[in-house]
Amino acid sequence: MNFLRGVMGGPSAGPQPSGADTIQKLCDRVASSTLLDDRRDAVRALKSLSKKYRLEVGIQAMEHLIHVLQTDRSDSEIIGYALDTLYNVISNDLEEEEQEENSSKQVDDLGSQFTEIFIKQQENVTLLLTLVEEFDFHVRWPGVKLLTSLLKQQGPQVQQIILVSPMGVSRLMDLLADSREVIRNDGVLLLQQLTKSNAAIQKIVAFENAFERLLDIITEEGNSDGGIVVEDCLLLLQNLLKNNNSNQNFFKEGSYIQRMKPWFEVGDDNCGWSAQKVTNLHLMLQLVRVLVSPTNPPGATSSCQKAMFHCGLLQQLCTILMATGVPADILTETINTVSEVIRGCQTNQDYFASVNAPSNPPRPAIVVLLMSMVNERQPFVLRCAVLYCFQCFLYKNQKGQGEIVSTLLPSTIDATGNSVSAGQLLCGGLFSTDSLSNWCAAVALAHALQENATLKEQLLRVQLATSIGNPPVSLLQQCTNILSQGSKVQTRVGLLMLLCTWLSNCSIAVTHFLHNPANVPFLTGQIAENLGEEEQLVQGLCALLLGISIYYNDNSLENYRKEKLKQLIEKRIGRENFIEKLGFISKHELYSRAAQKPQPSFSSPDHMMFDHEFTKLVKELEGVISKAIYKSSEEDKKEEEVKKTLEQHDNIVTHYKKVIREQDQELEELKQRINTLTSQNEQLQATVTQQVSQIQQHKDQYNLLKVQLGKDTQHHNSHGDTFQINGIQTEEVSKLKEELEEWKNKHELLQGQLKEKDSVIEKLNSSQLETGTTEQSSQTNKFGGLEHNNELQKELEMLRSQIQLQSAEISKLQMENQKLQVMNAAADPALGDSGTTAATSSELEARLEQEIKELKSEVKALSEEKEALKQHLDSSSSTVAILQDEKSKLQREVAESKKEQDDLLVLLADQDQKISALKIKLKDLGVPVEDEDDTESGDQGDEDEDGDEEEQD
């Protein structure tokens, strides 16, 4: 202890030792002392000297300090001192007063060198990870700070060591759950350094529930109103999500996008925002942009855009966009964020088109933003953000493009002038005195025409009133007029980009442009001149515009046919000079910058020259224009013929594809119809089965009732047998009487017929006695009478036998009738003798009659129901038969359709062979042929054939 007092500056008689000597003695003390207290005091002394004598402590004590970490882990105090000492040696976060002005680079190198020494043995980093797991504050906190410093100095190396260490990342994730805020907050800083530029660690951290924990911390701290902890969490979230598609998908699938909505809730009074809130909100907006960045895969971006719309995040951002009092930088970043949330997403673009600003009268948000874009008093970054928002709104949005262009057409312009439309604002900016407004309006209008030939033709109808008394001129003519007036370079560049976009792939617009006799001489004059570097860009764009006028020329104007324009270039400019001027565009530095990303980002307004989409157009057209300039007239004719043939073939292929699509739709409809009819048939079959079972049940019930009725009849026979005669056999007696009457009638009828026959016989006998004087006539009459008499005798015998049979039957029936009458007569005294028996019999008779009536009615109802069910069954059977007929018809139609499709596919194969042959000829002629379209059409054909095979299966 006396030694330590001397080291720490206590009084001594001899000369004072130097810092290096003191550090050496302390290191010896740490290495040789057997008492823990002595080693602890020595390490504490090294800690106090480590800031002032950083180099000496690092060189002499690092090895001893690492040894302490390995051997004295049971004492948290000495471990804490050792970790603090190492942190002071390795870290570059020294106080400013302790740094020399010219020593920053040396300090950085010193920390990096000590870090390299420390991590040379990977066991040191593993040991540090173990110490960070300790719950003791004096061990865990300095351990976290030391590991963070190591990551700052040698990030990739330390990341690799942690990555291969067992559960290395998982141990560090526990820091976010520490209840002590200082450790939790430093744990966030540690994870920031750990996740920088390492996708593997980012994935591990994300799947260790980092998103949930970080969002909880942000919510606990008050969202955008929180302090610097919220900022640190947002930076860590950016590290995890930026350029990491796996984590972005995990973030979306985990429904974490919905938890971002409360971040952007702002009140009516937005004045007096703190600097920290502005920073937090700025980072939150950037985090949204990370999820929908145009550099992400299109599928991932689209799914995030849809999720933001459905959870209301886009609506919240539009609220900030239209709110008052929002700081300018937040408003600018919000516009950029909304731009990327709606870019290429039709649903979000439609919603944005419906947003109105809270003004009186309400104006569309697009109009309000365009007013800011063409207003030269607005900040430059804000105007760039509005332009980007307008571009994103029109990106792959033909509906939005049509709405913008329609505001310029004569039929839709508001005659009253009460409201300003987007088209009017764009025209106003296009022809204003501010060159930046000219450029922005020209680029915005070019995006309204992007890849939309129909709108390019419609825009030719736009007429502008230049001044009072002068006739209106077309928008195309006005653009060329301003171009020829020698305005600023930025204005001319913007107008040339608009004209190139307008004329590309639109022969009608080229014809309108060439129809003005002043345009071609102006372009050739601009290209032929030898101007300074500033004008070279304009010369290149003029060459591009003239090349587009040649390449997309349909030769409808005799004076400006392709061949004549190429001859004009050869005479006034020279082909080599023309190609050289055309190459000025792609060689320009600003062109390379604009081609990198869609968002217009310029350091100053002077650098605002090129648009991202226009760079794609230049890249597409530069080569084909160069080849078109060198082609002869014969090659042009052949190319035109090949183009027409290709167009015809394309039209045929398109027609057949359309027919196939229609047939596929019909097949699908027929399949659906078959499925519907099949299901209906199954339902009817089930109904019939159910009804048959019900009929069987009714039959069973009927039989059961009959059995019960028989039992009741047997039970009541003990009261008197006469009841059966009176009750049941009454009907049989009545039937016998009716039959008896019928036989009597027949007997009387036969008696009458017999009397008629007897009278006929008597007449014949009398006539036989009177006739005949001659022998021949008498013999003849005799023979005839005998024959007739014999016949009559036979008939008479037959009638008599029938009468005898009928008489026997009548007598039999009369005997039965008499027996029944005797039985009835015998039953009457029996019924009259006893009053009780008569009452009982009458009661039983009434009861049986009632039950018989009920059974009859029930049997009748069952019979009717049975008939109805039979009819329903018959109708169902007929329906099934009809359905089967329709099914067979549909199958025949499907077979015919498949046969037609096979024929069409054969035709398509022939057409593809012809097209490929023509393309080979084109390639031989030097005409560029795009293979992607061929590949796509081939793929489509394969898909159609595969679809047909599946349907046949």
Side-chain angles (χ1 to χ4, degrees), residues 816-841:
E816 291 180 0
N817 189 15
Q818 288 175 359
K819 289 180 181 180
L820 289 173
Q821 288 177 356
V822 170
M823 293 173 71
N824 286 332
D828 289 337
L831 290 173
D833 292 339
S834 176
T836 305
T837 304
T840 304
S841 298

Side-chain angles (χ1 to χ4, degrees), residues 54-55 58-59 62 88-94 99 102-118 149-150 152-154:
R54 180 183 177 190
L55 179 61
I59 293 173
M62 180 174 288
N88 292 336
V89 169
I90 291 173
S91 175
N92 291 327
D93 300 334
L94 302 177
Q99 295 185 22
N102 298 326
S103 65
S104 59
K105 185 176 180 180
Q106 181 182 357
V107 167
D108 291 343
D109 293 341
L110 194 61
S112 179
Q113 291 171 6
F114 282 135
T115 301
E116 191 172 352
I117 294 170
F118 184 85
S149 183
L150 291 173
K152 285 181 180 179
Q153 302 297 333
Q154 297 287 340

Side-chain angles (χ1 to χ4, degrees), residues 13-65:
Q16 295 293 329
S18 63
D21 295 338
T22 304
I23 292 168
Q24 183 61 47
K25 291 177 181 178
L26 289 171
C27 290
D28 294 339
R29 188 76 171 175
V30 172
S32 60
S33 295
T34 57
L35 294 176
L36 179 61
D37 292 340
D38 291 345
R39 293 198 303 275
R40 185 190 304 120
D41 292 337
V43 174
R44 184 190 298 116
L46 286 171
K47 174 188 171 184
S48 63
L49 294 172
S50 59
K51 290 185 178 180
K52 186 175 182 180
Y53 300 100
R54 180 183 177 190
L55 179 61
E56 292 80 0
V57 172
I59 293 173
Q60 300 181 36
M62 180 174 288
E63 185 178 353
H64 301 294
L65 293 172

Side-chain angles (χ1 to χ4, degrees), residues 327-340:
D329 52 346
I330 294 297
L331 181 60
T332 302
E333 190 63 23
T334 304
I335 294 173
N336 287 327
T337 305
V338 170
S339 304
E340 295 183 351

